Coordinates of all heavy atoms in Angstrom, one line a residue:
S1 N -30.1 14.2 42.9 CA -29.7 13.6 41.6 C -30.8 13.4 40.6 O -30.6 13.2 39.4 CB -29.1 12.2 41.8 OG -30.1 11.3 42.3
G2 N -32.1 13.5 41.0 CA -33.2 13.1 40.2 C -33.1 11.6 40.1 O -32.3 10.9 40.8
L3 N -34.0 11.0 39.3 CA -34.0 9.5 39.2 C -32.9 9.0 38.4 O -32.6 9.5 37.3 CB -35.4 9.1 38.5 CG -35.7 7.6 38.6 CD1 -37.2 7.4 38.7 CD2 -35.1 6.8 37.4
V4 N -32.1 8.1 38.9 CA -30.9 7.6 38.3 C -31.1 6.1 37.9 O -31.5 5.3 38.8 CB -29.7 7.7 39.2 CG1 -28.4 7.2 38.5 CG2 -29.5 9.2 39.5
E5 N -30.8 5.7 36.7 CA -30.9 4.3 36.3 C -29.7 3.5 36.7 O -28.6 3.8 36.3 CB -31.1 4.2 34.8 CG -31.0 2.8 34.2 CD -32.2 1.9 34.7 OE1 -33.3 2.2 34.4 OE2 -31.8 1.0 35.5
R6 N -29.8 2.5 37.6 CA -28.7 1.7 38.0 C -28.8 0.3 37.5 O -28.1 -0.6 37.9 CB -28.6 1.6 39.5 CG -28.2 3.0 40.1 CD -26.8 3.5 39.6 NE -26.3 4.7 40.3 CZ -25.4 5.5 39.8 NH1 -25.0 5.3 38.5 NH2 -25.0 6.5 40.5
Y7 N -29.8 0.0 36.6 CA -30.1 -1.3 36.0 C -30.7 -2.3 36.9 O -31.7 -2.9 36.7 CB -28.9 -1.8 35.3 CG -29.2 -3.0 34.4 CD1 -30.1 -2.8 33.3 CD2 -28.6 -4.2 34.5 CE1 -30.4 -3.9 32.5 CE2 -28.9 -5.3 33.7 CZ -29.8 -5.1 32.7 OH -30.1 -6.2 31.9
Y8 N -30.0 -2.6 38.1 CA -30.5 -3.6 39.0 C -31.5 -2.9 40.0 O -32.2 -3.7 40.7 CB -29.2 -4.1 39.8 CG -28.2 -4.6 38.9 CD1 -26.9 -4.0 38.8 CD2 -28.4 -5.8 38.1 CE1 -26.0 -4.4 37.9 CE2 -27.4 -6.2 37.2 CZ -26.2 -5.6 37.1 OH -25.3 -6.0 36.2
F9 N -31.5 -1.6 40.0 CA -32.5 -0.9 40.8 C -32.4 0.6 40.2 O -31.5 0.9 39.5 CB -32.3 -0.9 42.3 CG -30.8 -0.7 42.7 CD1 -30.3 0.6 42.9 CD2 -30.0 -1.8 43.0 CE1 -29.0 0.7 43.2 CE2 -28.7 -1.7 43.3 CZ -28.2 -0.4 43.5
R10 N -33.4 1.4 40.6 CA -33.4 2.8 40.3 C -33.2 3.6 41.6 O -33.6 3.2 42.7 CB -34.7 3.3 39.6 CG -34.7 3.0 38.1 CD -35.3 1.6 37.9 NE -35.1 1.2 36.5 CZ -35.5 0.1 36.0 NH1 -36.2 -0.8 36.8 NH2 -35.3 -0.2 34.7
S11 N -32.5 4.8 41.5 CA -32.1 5.5 42.7 C -32.4 7.0 42.6 O -32.5 7.6 41.6 CB -30.6 5.3 42.9 OG -30.3 3.9 43.0
L12 N -32.3 7.5 43.8 CA -32.4 9.0 44.1 C -31.4 9.3 45.1 O -31.3 8.6 46.2 CB -33.8 9.4 44.5 CG -33.9 10.8 45.2 CD1 -33.7 11.9 44.1 CD2 -35.2 11.0 45.8
Y13 N -30.5 10.3 44.9 CA -29.5 10.6 45.9 C -29.7 12.1 46.4 O -29.9 13.0 45.6 CB -28.1 10.5 45.3 CG -27.7 9.2 44.8 CD1 -28.1 8.8 43.5 CD2 -27.0 8.3 45.5 CE1 -27.7 7.6 42.9 CE2 -26.6 7.0 45.0 CZ -27.0 6.7 43.7 OH -26.7 5.4 43.2
F14 N -29.5 12.3 47.7 CA -29.4 13.6 48.2 C -28.7 13.6 49.6 O -28.5 12.6 50.2 CB -30.8 14.2 48.4 CG -31.7 13.5 49.5 CD1 -31.8 14.1 50.8 CD2 -32.3 12.3 49.2 CE1 -32.5 13.5 51.7 CE2 -33.1 11.7 50.2 CZ -33.2 12.3 51.5
R15 N -28.2 14.8 50.0 CA -27.5 14.9 51.3 C -28.4 15.6 52.3 O -29.1 16.5 52.1 CB -26.2 15.7 51.1 CG -25.2 14.9 50.3 CD -23.8 15.6 50.4 NE -22.8 15.0 49.5 CZ -22.1 13.9 49.8 NH1 -22.2 13.4 51.0 NH2 -21.3 13.4 48.9
E16 N -28.3 15.0 53.6 CA -29.0 15.6 54.7 C -28.1 16.7 55.2 O -26.9 16.9 54.8 CB -29.4 14.6 55.7 CG -28.3 13.7 56.3 CD -27.5 14.4 57.3 OE1 -28.1 14.9 58.3 OE2 -26.3 14.5 57.2
P17 N -28.6 17.6 56.1 CA -27.8 18.8 56.5 C -26.4 18.6 57.1 O -25.6 19.5 57.1 CB -28.8 19.5 57.5 CG -30.1 19.0 57.1 CD -29.9 17.6 56.7
N18 N -26.2 17.4 57.7 CA -24.9 17.1 58.2 C -23.9 16.5 57.2 O -22.8 16.1 57.5 CB -25.0 16.2 59.4 CG -25.3 17.0 60.7 OD1 -24.5 17.8 61.2 ND2 -26.5 16.7 61.3
G19 N -24.4 16.5 55.9 CA -23.5 16.2 54.8 C -23.5 14.7 54.5 O -22.7 14.2 53.6
I20 N -24.3 13.9 55.1 CA -24.3 12.4 54.9 C -25.2 12.1 53.6 O -26.3 12.6 53.5 CB -24.8 11.6 56.1 CG1 -23.8 11.9 57.2 CG2 -25.0 10.2 55.8 CD1 -24.3 11.3 58.5
L21 N -24.6 11.3 52.7 CA -25.3 11.0 51.5 C -26.3 9.9 51.7 O -26.0 8.8 52.1 CB -24.2 10.6 50.4 CG -24.8 10.3 49.0 CD1 -25.5 11.6 48.4 CD2 -23.7 9.8 48.1
F22 N -27.5 10.2 51.4 CA -28.7 9.2 51.5 C -29.1 8.9 50.0 O -29.0 9.7 49.1 CB -29.9 9.8 52.1 CG -29.8 10.0 53.6 CD1 -30.7 10.7 54.3 CD2 -28.8 9.3 54.3 CE1 -30.6 10.8 55.7 CE2 -28.7 9.4 55.7 CZ -29.6 10.2 56.4
E23 N -29.4 7.6 49.8 CA -30.0 7.1 48.6 C -31.3 6.5 48.9 O -31.5 5.8 49.9 CB -29.0 6.1 47.9 CG -29.5 5.5 46.7 CD -28.6 4.4 46.1 OE1 -27.5 4.3 46.7 OE2 -28.9 3.7 45.1
L24 N -32.2 6.7 48.0 CA -33.5 5.9 48.0 C -33.4 4.9 46.8 O -33.1 5.4 45.7 CB -34.7 6.8 47.9 CG -34.8 7.9 49.0 CD1 -36.2 8.6 48.8 CD2 -34.7 7.3 50.4
A25 N -33.7 3.7 47.0 CA -33.5 2.7 45.9 C -34.6 1.7 45.8 O -35.2 1.3 46.8 CB -32.2 1.9 46.1
T26 N -35.0 1.4 44.6 CA -36.1 0.4 44.4 C -35.8 -1.0 44.8 O -34.6 -1.4 44.6 CB -36.6 0.5 43.0 OG1 -35.6 0.1 42.1 CG2 -37.2 1.9 42.6
D27 N -36.7 -1.8 45.1 CA -36.5 -3.2 45.5 C -36.0 -4.0 44.3 O -35.3 -5.0 44.4 CB -37.7 -3.8 46.1 CG -37.8 -3.6 47.6 OD1 -36.9 -3.0 48.2 OD2 -38.7 -4.1 48.2
G28 N -36.5 -3.6 43.1 CA -36.2 -4.4 41.9 C -35.6 -3.5 40.8 O -35.4 -2.3 41.0
P29 N -35.3 -4.1 39.7 CA -35.5 -5.5 39.2 C -34.7 -6.6 39.9 O -35.1 -7.8 40.0 CB -35.2 -5.4 37.7 CG -35.2 -4.0 37.4 CD -34.7 -3.3 38.6
G30 N -33.5 -6.3 40.5 CA -32.7 -7.3 41.1 C -31.6 -7.8 40.3 O -31.4 -7.5 39.1
F31 N -30.7 -8.6 41.0 CA -29.5 -9.0 40.4 C -29.6 -10.2 39.4 O -28.6 -10.5 38.7 CB -28.5 -9.4 41.5 CG -28.1 -8.2 42.3 CD1 -28.4 -8.1 43.6 CD2 -27.4 -7.1 41.7 CE1 -28.0 -7.0 44.4 CE2 -27.1 -6.0 42.5 CZ -27.4 -5.9 43.8
E32 N -30.8 -10.8 39.3 CA -30.9 -11.9 38.4 C -31.4 -11.4 37.0 O -31.8 -12.2 36.2 CB -31.9 -12.9 39.0 CG -31.3 -13.7 40.2 CD -32.3 -14.6 40.9 OE1 -32.7 -15.6 40.3 OE2 -32.6 -14.2 42.1
K33 N -31.4 -10.1 36.9 CA -31.9 -9.5 35.6 C -30.9 -9.9 34.5 O -31.3 -10.0 33.3 CB -31.9 -8.0 35.7 CG -32.5 -7.3 34.5 CD -32.8 -5.8 34.7 CE -33.4 -5.2 33.5 NZ -33.7 -3.8 33.6
D34 N -29.6 -10.1 34.8 CA -28.6 -10.4 33.7 C -27.8 -11.7 34.0 O -26.9 -11.9 33.3 CB -27.7 -9.2 33.4 CG -26.9 -8.8 34.6 OD1 -27.1 -9.3 35.7 OD2 -26.1 -7.8 34.5
E35 N -28.1 -12.3 35.1 CA -27.3 -13.6 35.5 C -28.3 -14.5 36.2 O -29.1 -14.1 37.0 CB -26.2 -13.3 36.5 CG -25.0 -12.6 35.9 CD -23.9 -12.4 37.0 OE1 -24.2 -11.7 38.0 OE2 -22.8 -13.0 36.8
P36 N -28.2 -15.8 35.9 CA -29.0 -16.8 36.7 C -28.6 -16.9 38.1 O -27.4 -16.6 38.5 CB -28.8 -18.1 35.9 CG -27.4 -18.0 35.3 CD -27.3 -16.5 34.9
F37 N -29.5 -17.3 39.0 CA -29.2 -17.5 40.4 C -27.9 -18.3 40.6 O -27.1 -17.9 41.5 CB -30.4 -18.1 41.1 CG -30.2 -18.5 42.5 CD1 -30.2 -17.6 43.5 CD2 -29.9 -19.8 42.8 CE1 -29.9 -17.9 44.8 CE2 -29.7 -20.2 44.2 CZ -29.7 -19.3 45.2
E38 N -27.8 -19.4 39.9 CA -26.7 -20.3 40.2 C -25.3 -19.7 40.0 O -24.3 -20.1 40.6 CB -26.8 -21.5 39.3 CG -28.0 -22.4 39.5 CD -29.3 -21.8 39.1 OE1 -29.3 -20.9 38.2 OE2 -30.4 -22.3 39.5
T39 N -25.2 -18.7 39.1 CA -23.8 -18.2 38.8 C -23.7 -16.7 39.1 O -22.9 -16.0 38.5 CB -23.5 -18.4 37.3 OG1 -24.5 -17.8 36.5 CG2 -23.4 -19.9 37.0
L40 N -24.5 -16.2 40.0 CA -24.5 -14.8 40.4 C -23.0 -14.4 40.8 O -22.4 -15.1 41.5 CB -25.4 -14.5 41.5 CG -26.9 -14.3 41.2 CD1 -27.7 -14.2 42.5 CD2 -27.2 -13.2 40.3
G41 N -22.5 -13.3 40.3 CA -21.3 -12.8 40.7 C -20.0 -13.4 40.1 O -18.9 -13.0 40.4
E42 N -20.2 -14.4 39.3 CA -19.0 -15.1 38.8 C -18.3 -14.4 37.6 O -17.1 -14.6 37.4 CB -19.4 -16.5 38.3 CG -19.9 -17.4 39.5 CD -20.2 -18.8 39.1 OE1 -19.9 -19.2 37.9 OE2 -20.6 -19.6 40.0
K43 N -19.0 -13.6 36.9 CA -18.4 -12.9 35.7 C -18.7 -11.4 35.9 O -19.5 -11.0 36.7 CB -19.1 -13.3 34.4 CG -18.8 -14.8 34.1 CD -19.4 -15.2 32.8 CE -19.2 -16.7 32.4 NZ -19.8 -17.0 31.1
L44 N -17.9 -10.6 35.2 CA -18.1 -9.2 35.2 C -19.4 -8.8 34.5 O -19.5 -9.1 33.3 CB -16.9 -8.4 34.6 CG -17.0 -6.9 34.6 CD1 -16.8 -6.4 36.0 CD2 -16.0 -6.3 33.7
S45 N -20.3 -8.2 35.2 CA -21.6 -7.8 34.7 C -21.6 -6.3 34.4 O -21.1 -5.5 35.2 CB -22.7 -8.1 35.7 OG -22.9 -9.5 35.9
L46 N -22.0 -6.0 33.2 CA -22.1 -4.6 32.8 C -23.5 -4.3 32.3 O -24.0 -5.1 31.4 CB -21.1 -4.3 31.7 CG -19.6 -4.5 32.0 CD1 -18.8 -4.2 30.8 CD2 -19.2 -3.6 33.1

């Protein structure tokens, strides 16, 4: 896929020879980039 921006992390996708999809993803920035810890997951984040 090349480098893909997922906002909460960045990713690379490719398939190994048996057809299974692998992703490599960065540890950050993380889910608190657009929501505080106290209310994670409560609203639809885009």
Side-chain angles (χ1 to χ4, degrees):
S1 65
L3 194 149
V4 179
E5 172 62 70
R6 294 301 188 202
Y7 191 61
Y8 307 110
F9 44 84
R10 277 89 191 182
S11 298
L12 163 69
Y13 301 85
F14 68 99
R15 290 190 186 275
E16 55 81 53
N18 279 294
I20 296 172
L21 184 60
F22 286 167
E23 176 183 354
L24 306 185
T26 59
D27 272 0
F31 295 115
E32 292 170 68
K33 187 173 183 181
D34 60 355
E35 289 183 297
F37 171 78
E38 292 76 17
T39 59
L40 285 174
E42 293 184 7
K43 296 181 179 179
L44 181 70
S45 295
L46 298 176

